[in-house]
Structures are given as C-alpha cells and as structure tokens.
Amino acid sequence: MKITVGDNHLALADLIALGSLDTQIELTAAAVMRIAESRKIADEHLDGASAVYGLNVGLGANVSMKLERGSTADFERSVIEGRMIGIGEPLPDSVSRRALAIRIANLCNGNSAVSPHVVNQLAEMYNKGLTPIVASHGSVGSSDLGQCAQLCAAALGIGDVSFRGARVSALSALSAANLQPVELAAKDGLGLLNSGSVTQSAAVEVIAELGVVLAAAKQVAVASCEAYGVNPGPFLPEVVATKSVPGADDASRLIMDLLHGSWTLEEGAIDQAQHALSFRTLVPLVALVETHALSFANLLLQECNLSNDNPVVLLEKRQISSSSNFQSLAVSVSGEALTIALAHWSNAAANRTIRMVNGSIRGVPRYLAPLEGHSVGFNALMKSTVAMATRIRYEANPASLDFFAISENAEDVASQFPLVVEKLSRQVGWLRQLVAIEAVTAHQLLCLRQELKRGKAAKRLVEVVGKHVPLIEHDQPLGHFVDAVSNSIARGELT
C-alpha cells in the first residue's frame, strides 16, 4: 500500500495503515518544494539580527546563548544526542513506524525548516523498513522531545532500529539499506524532535481499538435490553426528539435498528412501565460516548496533520516566529472527557449485567443457573464485572492537571497527553473485558428465553458468542469463556 503525503490531510485509516511494514509513503512535488523553501527561509535568517530559537540561539534555558556558525554540525548532533532521554520498554514497532511517518508528513507542511536531504533520509528509512527503537516513557506532552530524539537519531546512525525482524544498530541498518548517516544543518535537530508524533501514533492505535470495542458494546447493550425485556419507549425517535442532545437522534435510530424484529417491540409485550436507568438511558449513553470519541479523533487528526513546530516558518511572509504549536492541550483534555464518558458507559454495563444475573424474570432461574438453589451460576462472575468497572472508573481520574515546572521554570505547564493516552488505552482494554462479560451473560439469558423472538442485535450476539460459549447447564469455570469472547471482540467479530 502506498500513501501519498504532503497535499491532503491523512485520514484515520491512513494513519492506522502507516504502522504496517507493508505501507510505503511518497512525498508530493508540492511538499518537496515547501520543504526546500522553508529551508531557504531559515538560511536567510541564520545571520540576521533577530534571534531565532534553535537556529542562531540555543535551546531551553540556553535561549540567550548565540550559536557559532563553525560548530553547527556538532551542535545539531548534540541537540539530538543530549535529548535522547526516553526510558522504559520499547514501544511496539507499529507505533514507532507510524510516528516516523507522521513526522515526515508533518514536515511536508513546510513549517519546520528541516533540510530536504534530512527529510529524504527519513522517507528512505521508512520505505526500506528501518523502524527506530523508541522508549515508552519520557514525554509530558509539550512535544515528545525525548522520544522524537530517539525516533530521528537513526538518520544520523545513532541508536538502534528494528530491521528485517531483528534489533540492530542504526549504523549497520543504514549500511545494509545503502544509506549513509546524514549531517544536520542549523535548526535541523530542533526541527526533527519538536513533534508530538510518538504520542499521536499511540493514540491512533487506541482510537482504532476503541472503535471496535464500542461497536461490540452497542450490540451487546441492545441485546441485554432485549434479553431482560426492557420497555423500548425511551429508545423511540419521537421520544428522543423531545430532548435531542448531540448524537441522540443517531443513537435512537441505531438502537431501534438493532432491536428490529425483537419481541420487545410487539404491542403489549412489555407490561412494566419503565426499567432501571442502566437500561433506560442507553440513548444518551450511546450519544455521549460517540460524541466524545468523535471529538477526540478529530482533534487527534489535527495534531497529526498540522504543524507541531516551535519556532514555526511562515512561508508566505518568509518569517520565523515563536509558537505554541507543540502544546497538545485540546486533544489531551478531550481524551480526559472521553475517559469519563467511558466510565459512565461501564457503570451502566456493569449494572445491566448484575441485573440480568440477579433479576426476578418469570421462568428464568436465579443467577441464570439451571440448577436453581444448588449452583452459583453467574453470581460469582459479578466480582469480575465489578473489578473491570472499577478499573475503568479509576482510569477516568484526571491526568492532564499534574506537572512540575522545569527548564529553569520556562516550561511551567504541560498537557500530559502521553499519560492521558496511556490511561485511555488501559481503559479500553478493561472495557473490552467488561463488554465480554455482559455478552456472555446476555447470551445465557437469551438462551434461557429462547422461545422469544429475537431482534438483530440478539441474533448476532447468539451467533458470535455461541461459537465460544455453550448454554451453561451446571457450575463450571467461566473466565475462559469471557476471555474467548473478549478476543473475538478484539478481532472485530461482534459488529
């Protein structure tokens, strides 16, 4: 697969694909021209009277130090090496590879002044399968400076890369790929590492996984409503229209479509006026989660496609200006909001599951155990239900508010976007397990009420879950059934 970068914004599908070794990139002619012009503007300012951060004056607390022209190559190399401060286990190759591609695509905007031969080197590395080894920690979200230093150091022959299935030195991999280490010009070092592409890449994987889990979660929730025999009144479009919050109309249409054919829609089938809020509020819950997931994804796409640079080159004005483009605060706070929305979903999912197990439903044995009075049935599984829901709730605690001033107090705020992405990733994993528990529970209840007419979601759940879970007719281990369904959800089978 070949993805062209430089003129059009990368879509989420493109960003996901950029993590694969099967993907190649190609820079547009216009992007190549912008990169070259940006470099020319930097060279014009190199000996100018105005101080330009990272070009003719130092970095961080050394911002008042004028740089000597004769030491450019050594200084630029030290900019990279001195900031390779990532720690912890290496990130997955897919995250590092995508991060490299995102940075290349971002350089195509022409706002960075990175030399054309350096950008070309990065593109060659990507297309020849050299994936830098990047540590998992070290960023606070005001660019992934330390991790991007590791990401781009390989172009200079520094550090290690994953190449042809093995971890090798960057220098040896460059040689094997018929490439030579590059020498950096003024500001190239800062231009390479002043990016949030590592965290952006990790976030792409999280939002992709979340999409799969939410698709299953909605199917399972509707199937649970049917299995329990919930009054569908709150789901009706005409009811939702009386207070249409963002996304509610779409949520109503989706739920009613998934209920199509269900016995619960037959006139007089449900004699109870209304049911617990964990069932009844499914429309606003779907709307809430979808709205925040979409907001987070859109802000993430902006971060990936627009300039992360400081200073930033203004092509039309031929100027270089200080900026705050590296600060990813909006997407970080949006991620925080998404974790809270998912906590609300998990609270409802856990309560629906507990009610299906403990509910007094005519003709259904207590705890969904056919040997009522002699077996624990699904009752013990509720401990795992609560364990997952509690973990999801814990990950909703805010992370973006915590920071210490560093760099002689010049850097006194940060977005903590990496930490937000990490906790969101853990949360999505716990949510997948919780959805699997609800699915296994709803499957048991549907099978015990097999005489009732099933809607689309219930049919799909019985079909998919039934491949991994039988009707539970006696006490037996249930955990491996949940794990099997969880893996099925991860494969996208319950959509």
Side-chain angles (χ1 to χ4, degrees):
M1 177 181 183
K2 181 174 286 187
I3 295 177
T4 302
V5 298
D7 291 349
N8 299 314
H9 281 187
L10 297 169
L12 182 59
D14 297 324
L15 291 166
I16 293 170
L18 286 171
S20 170
L21 279 171
D22 295 330
T23 302
Q24 301 275 291
I25 60 172
E26 181 178 28
L27 277 60
T28 66
V32 172
M33 290 180 62
R34 285 193 296 272
I35 292 167
E37 195 62 25
S38 177
R39 182 68 243 179
K40 288 180 182 178
I41 294 171
D43 290 338
E44 292 169 4
H45 284 75
L46 190 56
D47 293 321
S50 299
V52 178
Y53 185 70
L55 179 68
N56 53 22
V57 297
L59 302 177
N62 296 319
V63 67
S64 61
M65 182 188 74
K66 186 171 179 59
L67 300 177
E68 299 297 329
R69 286 289 299 273
S71 62
T72 296
D74 290 341
F75 174 76
E76 294 299 322
R77 185 181 180 94
S78 73
V79 167
I80 298 292
E81 290 185 312
R83 288 161 179 79
M84 295 174 66
I85 47 83
I87 59 176
E89 291 298 312
L91 292 167
D93 282 356
S94 61
V95 174
S96 298
R97 181 166 172 79
R98 182 184 302 107
L100 180 61
I102 290 172
R103 188 53 185 148
I104 295 168
N106 206 270
L107 292 172
C108 290
N109 291 324
N111 302 124
S112 309
V114 173
S115 299
H117 74 279
V118 177
V119 181
N120 184 66
Q121 174 90 328
L122 297 178
E124 287 285 340
M125 286 169 49
Y126 181 87
N127 286 337
K128 292 186 176 183
L130 281 74
T131 302
I133 301 297
V134 179
S136 53
H137 302 294
S139 172
V140 295
S142 295
S143 85
D144 299 326
L145 181 144
Q147 291 166 302
C148 282
Q150 292 179 304
L151 184 73
C152 296
L156 287 71
I158 302 170
D160 290 343
V161 299
S162 177
F163 184 59
R164 296 173 182 170
R167 178 171 178 165
V168 299
S169 71
L171 197 59
S172 64
L174 288 174
S175 177
N178 296 316
L179 298 172
Q180 295 296 320
V182 295
E183 185 172 287
L184 302 182
K187 195 188 171 299
D188 279 344
L190 177 61
L192 289 175
L193 56 84
N194 205 342
S195 167
S197 65
V198 174
T199 302
Q200 292 160 13
S201 176
V204 167
E205 296 209 347
V206 173
I207 203 68
E209 182 183 357
L210 176 60
V212 174
V213 173
L214 286 181
K218 289 178 285 190
Q219 292 259 6
V220 172
V222 174
S224 295
C225 289
E226 178 178 316
Y228 195 76
V230 170
N231 188 319
F235 310 147
L236 297 173
E238 57 269 30
V239 173
V240 172
T242 62
K243 185 186 178 182
S244 187
V245 299
D249 293 339
D250 289 339
S252 171
R253 283 190 290 269
L254 173 68
I255 292 169
M256 294 306 296
D257 178 65
L258 292 175
L259 279 174
H260 180 72
S262 169
W263 69 278
T264 61
L265 298 180
E266 296 174 357
E267 187 174 354
I270 309 294
D271 54 12
Q272 187 168 324
Q274 61 183 30
H275 290 82
L277 291 174
S278 56
F279 294 106
R280 204 190 328 159
T281 59
L282 188 55
V283 167
L285 271 174
V286 171
L288 176 75
V289 171
E290 290 290 352
T291 297
H292 284 286
L294 180 61
S295 175
F296 179 71
N298 286 339
L299 287 168
L300 176 60
L301 288 174
Q302 287 187 15
E303 291 289 328
C304 293
N305 283 291
L306 303 180
S307 171
N308 291 183
D309 297 286
N310 173 50
V312 62
V313 177
L314 305 175
L315 288 171
E316 291 186 3
K317 292 188 173 183
R318 304 192 72 79
Q319 295 176 355
I320 304 179
S321 175
S322 176
S323 85
S324 57
N325 291 350
F326 56 85
Q327 187 69 291
S328 50
L329 191 57
V331 69
S332 183
V333 174
S334 177
E336 299 268 48
L338 178 55
T339 65
I340 294 172
L342 293 178
H344 280 286
W345 182 281
S346 73
N347 288 344
N351 277 306
R352 286 193 300 268
T353 304
I354 292 169
R355 286 183 177 277
M356 283 190 286
V357 172
N358 293 341
S360 299
I361 303 173
R362 188 181 304 115
V364 175
R366 191 182 186 192
Y367 306 147
L368 307 183
L371 297 176
E372 184 173 6
H374 296 85
S375 61
V376 70
F378 279 61
N379 194 40
L381 185 59
M382 296 307 95
K383 296 183 184 297
S384 297
T385 302
V386 173
M388 294 303 99
T390 304
R391 282 164 171 78
I392 293 166
R393 166 64 182 84
Y394 178 79
E395 300 296 354
N397 287 311
S400 62
L401 300 176
D402 298 320
F403 188 64
F404 296 91
I406 55 176
S407 192
E408 296 189 10
N409 294 326
E411 300 176 19
D412 53 0
V413 296
S415 72
Q416 294 290 14
F417 186 37
L419 188 55
V420 172
V421 172
E422 287 176 28
K423 72 191 188 84
L424 181 58
S425 177
R426 291 191 296 268
Q427 198 182 44
V428 172
W430 300 131
L431 180 62
R432 177 160 53 86
Q433 292 287 85
L434 179 59
V435 172
I437 293 173
E438 184 180 1
V440 171
T441 305
H443 174 265
Q444 178 76 358
L445 183 52
L446 286 165
C447 289
L448 291 172
R449 309 187 81 185
Q450 60 182 335
E451 76 283 357
L452 299 174
K453 190 177 178 182
R454 291 172 183 163
K456 286 174 61 175
K459 287 179 181 178
R460 183 63 179 156
L461 184 142
V462 170
E463 175 190 358
V464 174
V465 177
K467 295 177 182 177
H468 308 283
V469 185
L471 172 66
I472 306 301
E473 298 182 306
H474 55 83
D475 283 346
Q476 58 182 289
L478 298 178
H480 68 287
F481 291 133
V482 172
D483 288 337
V485 173
S486 178
N487 291 334
S488 175
I489 291 171
R491 293 191 296 269
E493 295 173 0
L494 193 53
T495 57

